[in-house]
C-alpha cells in the first residue's frame, strides 16, 4: 500500500527533558497508568520528528503536544500486572522503528535495534490500603486488653 | 468482454457509494473509582479507526476543565497524532487534580482529523462520562482513611480506664464500673467527635 507520507525528519543528538507519572493510589484509581512527557531538542533544529515508543515489547505511537518539541506517551494496565520496578521506554524515529518492526516480523533479535533515546520510569507500586484494616486491628487489640484486664481482675480477687 | 465492462462499471460505482477513508470513534472515560478533591483523577481517551484508510493529522482537544477547578498533574489536554492506521486504536491518558468538591459534568472532548490525504477536516466528539460527584477530602477520609489517631487514642483511653477499674476505688467518689461499659462510653465519645 503506497501512501504519500510526510518525510519524517530525523533528529541528530537528541536532548530530552523527561518527566514521568505512575499511579500511586489503587484505592481511588481503577487501573495503573504510566505517563511519560518530554521536551525534545535536536541540534539540527528538526521540529516535527515522528516518534514511536516501545515498552517491554508493547509499541505505542507518541503523541505531540501543542508546543513544538513536546511529546507524551501513556499506557495503562490493571493494578495486578503493574509490578513495581523500572520500566524502560525506548523511543524510535521512523527509520529505526521500521527496522524494529521488520526485525520483529522476521523473529530476529529486536533488542539490537538502537533506539533514538530511552527513558527509565520508576514505578513504586500502587497503595492498596493497609494489609489488615485498622478496624480489625482495633477490635483484636480491644479483645486482648479486655482479656488481660479480666485476668488481672481474677488474680487480684482470687 | 461485456462482462469485463460490467465489472469495471460496478467497481466504479462501488467507489462512489461506499464510505472510503478513515472514520474515528473516540471515547473518554474516568479511570477512577472515586473522584476526590485534591487527589489524582485519571482520564483516558481511546480513539479507534474503523475506516478503510489511515486518519491523518488527528487532533484531540479537551477544554472542558476550567483551570481554576482542575490542576494538571501529568499529561497534555491538546495532543496530535500524525496518523492512525486503519483497524487500529490509540490511547491517551491525562491525570488531573480536582481543586473543588461538588458535582461536575464531564463533557466530551473534540477530535479533528483528515479522512483522506488532502481531504477536508472532519470534526467529531468523544463520548462523555457525564455528571459525577467529586468528594470532599474530609468525606473521603471519613470512609476510607485508616483512622490511626482515632483507634490509637481509643485504645489508650481504654487501657487507662481498664487500669483504673482494677484498682481499689474505695477512696474515689465514683463507684467502680465495669470495664465494658466504660469502653462503650469512651467509644461513643470518640466517634461522636467525627
Amino acid at each position: 500500500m503506497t501512501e504519500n507520507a510526510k518525510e519524517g525528519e530525523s533528529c541528530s543528538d537528541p536532548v530530552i527533558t523527561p518527566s514521568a507519572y505512575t499511579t500511586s493510589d489503587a484505592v481511588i484509581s481503577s487501573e495503573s497508568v504510566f505517563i511519560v512527557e518530554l521536551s525534545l531538542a535536536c541540534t539540527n533544529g528538526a521540529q516535527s520528528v515522528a516518534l514511536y515508543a516501545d515498552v517491554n515489547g508493547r509499541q505505542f505511537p507518541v503523541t505531540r503536544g501543542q508546543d513544538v518539541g513536546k511529546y507524551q506517551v501513556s499506557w495503562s494496565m490493571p493494578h495486578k500486572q503493574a509490578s513495581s520496578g523500572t520500566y524502560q521506554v525506548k523511543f524510535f524515529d521512523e527509520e529505526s522503528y521500521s527496522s524494529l518492526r521488520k526485525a520483529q516480523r522476521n523473529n530476529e533479535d529486536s533488542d539490537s535495534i538502537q533506539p533514538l533515546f530511552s527513558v527509565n520510569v520508576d514505578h513504586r507500586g500502587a497503595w492498596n490500603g493497609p494489609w489488615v484494616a485498622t478496624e480489625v486491628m482495633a477490635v483484636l487489640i480491644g479483645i486482648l486488653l479486655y482479656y488481660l484486664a479480666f485476668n488481672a481482675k481474677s488474680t487480684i480477687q482470687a | 468482454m461485456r462482462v469485463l465492462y460490467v465489472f469495471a462499471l460496478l467497481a466504479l460505482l462501488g467507489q462512489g457509494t461506499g464510505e472510503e477513508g478513515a472514520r474515528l470513534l473516540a471515547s473518554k472515560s474516568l479511570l477512577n473509582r472515586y473522584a476526590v478533591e485534591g487527589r489524582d483523577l485519571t482520564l483516558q481517551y481511546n480513539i479507534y479507526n474503523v475506516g478503510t484508510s489511515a486518519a491523518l493529522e488527528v487532533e484531540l482537544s479537551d477544554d472542558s476543565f476550567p483551570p481554576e477547578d482542575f490542576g494538571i498533574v501529568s499529561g497534555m489536554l491538546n495532543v496530535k497524532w500524525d496518523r492512525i492506521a486503519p483497524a487500529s486504536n490509540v490511547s491517551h491518558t491525562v491525570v488531573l487534580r480536582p481543586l473543588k468538591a461538588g458535582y461536575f459534568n464531564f463533557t466530551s472532548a473534540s477530535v479533528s482529523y483528515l479522512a483522506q490525504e488532502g481531504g477536508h477536516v472532519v470534526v467529531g466528539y468523544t463520548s462523555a462520562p457525564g455528571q459525577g460527584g467529586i468528594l470532599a477530602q474530609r468525606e473521603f477520609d471519613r470512609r476510607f482513611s485508616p483512622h490511626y489517631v482515632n483507634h490509637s487514642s481509643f485504645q489508650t483511653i481504654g487501657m487507662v480506664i481498664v487500669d483504673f477499674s482494677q484498682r481499689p476505688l474505695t477512696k474515689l467518689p465514683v463507684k467502680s464500673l465495669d470495664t465494658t461499659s466504660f469502653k462503650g462510653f469512651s467509644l461513643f465519645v470518640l466517634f461522636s467527635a467525627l
Side-chain angles (χ1 to χ4, degrees):
Chain A
M1 188 166 84
T2 56
E3 49 190 273
N4 298 324
K6 249 194 303 206
E7 275 297 327
E9 296 182 13
S10 64
C11 181
S12 58
D13 301 323
V15 175
I16 54 165
T17 325
S19 71
Y21 168 90
T22 65
T23 302
S24 55
D25 189 334
V27 176
I28 292 189
S29 310
S30 54
E31 278 188 30
S32 285
V33 302
F34 298 74
I35 300 179
V36 179
E37 280 182 277
L38 52 95
S39 299
L40 171 69
C42 307
T43 50
N44 64 342
Q47 288 188 346
S48 57
V49 184
L51 290 178
Y52 303 85
D54 174 291
V55 189
N56 294 345
R58 279 170 76 180
Q59 277 109 33
F60 308 98
V62 179
T63 63
R64 285 191 289 139
Q66 291 291 90
D67 301 326
V68 169
K70 291 219 58 161
Y71 296 82
Q72 175 184 338
V73 63
S74 50
W75 69 97
S76 66
M77 54 177 91
H79 293 305
K80 291 231 151 57
Q81 290 175 17
S83 46
S84 58
T86 307
Y87 291 75
Q88 191 193 25
V89 187
K90 300 186 214 168
F91 288 84
F92 298 89
D93 60 7
E94 291 269 11
E95 230 182 280
S96 41
Y97 187 63
S98 45
S99 335
L100 177 76
R101 298 284 288 192
K102 196 165 134 192
Q104 282 181 340
R105 273 200 299 270
N106 301 340
N107 283 330
E108 286 163 12
D109 177 26
S110 49
D111 288 340
S112 59
I113 313 281
Q114 280 300 320
L116 195 59
F117 53 86
S118 63
V119 175
N120 284 335
V121 178
D122 283 322
H123 180 46
R124 298 175 62 196
W127 164 252
N128 252 317
W131 284 334
V132 180
T134 46
E135 290 84 9
V136 174
M137 286 297 294
V139 167
L140 292 174
I141 292 175
I143 290 173
L144 180 73
L145 284 176
Y146 184 83
Y147 173 74
L148 290 172
F150 187 74
N151 258 358
K153 190 171 175 176
S154 321
T155 45
I156 290 170
Q157 285 180 342
Chain B
M1 202 49 182
R2 204 185 290 178
V3 177
L4 217 69
Y5 283 145
V6 171
F7 274 140
L9 193 65
L10 281 175
L12 276 173
L13 279 175
Q15 288 279 338
T17 53
E19 262 200 48
E20 281 287 322
R23 182 147 177 259
L24 296 186
L25 301 177
S27 77
K28 168 176 163 178
S29 54
L30 293 177
L31 292 185
N32 269 52
R33 294 197 187 104
Y34 310 95
V36 186
E37 168 199 6
R39 305 275 189 112
D40 294 343
L41 181 71
T42 311
L43 287 157
Q44 191 173 63
Y45 304 86
N46 284 305
I47 305 182
Y48 304 85
N49 186 355
V50 298
T52 51
S53 65
L56 305 169
E57 293 176 33
V58 184
E59 279 194 42
L60 169 71
S61 173
D62 193 348
D63 37 10
S64 65
F65 297 104
E68 61 269 10
D69 292 339
F70 290 89
I72 300 185
V73 175
S74 183
M76 298 185 274
L77 288 168
N78 291 295
V79 288
K80 21 191 193 198
W81 289 265
D82 288 334
R83 67 185 294 271
I84 301 180
S88 72
N89 64 327
V90 293
S91 136
H92 179 66
T93 318
V94 178
V95 178
L96 300 176
R97 185 162 291 166
L99 303 172
K100 297 190 189 147
Y103 284 105
F104 183 76
N105 193 13
F106 294 90
T107 54
S108 313
S110 66
V111 178
S112 72
Y113 61 100
L114 300 179
Q116 279 151 346
E117 175 94 29
H120 59 273
V121 176
V122 180
V123 178
Y125 295 92
T126 66
S127 61
Q131 180 99 314
I134 300 175
L135 288 171
Q137 183 77 296
R138 206 175 138 72
E139 284 172 45
F140 179 76
D141 281 344
R142 187 182 304 201
R143 284 175 71 189
F144 293 101
S145 80
H147 297 286
Y148 291 125
V149 174
N150 297 70
H151 286 304
S152 42
S153 45
F154 170 69
Q155 298 297 341
T156 316
I157 293 176
M159 279 194 290
V160 168
I161 304 293
V162 163
D163 179 47
F164 268 106
S165 72
Q166 303 313 314
R167 293 165 192 277
L169 293 172
T170 46
K171 299 236 171 83
L172 291 177
V174 284
K175 63 176 168 78
S176 75
L177 291 165
D178 195 55
T179 55
T180 42
S181 66
F182 241 117
K183 271 194 158 227
F185 180 70
S186 39
L187 174 84
F188 171 77
V189 165
L190 269 169
F191 278 87
S192 65
L194 283 173

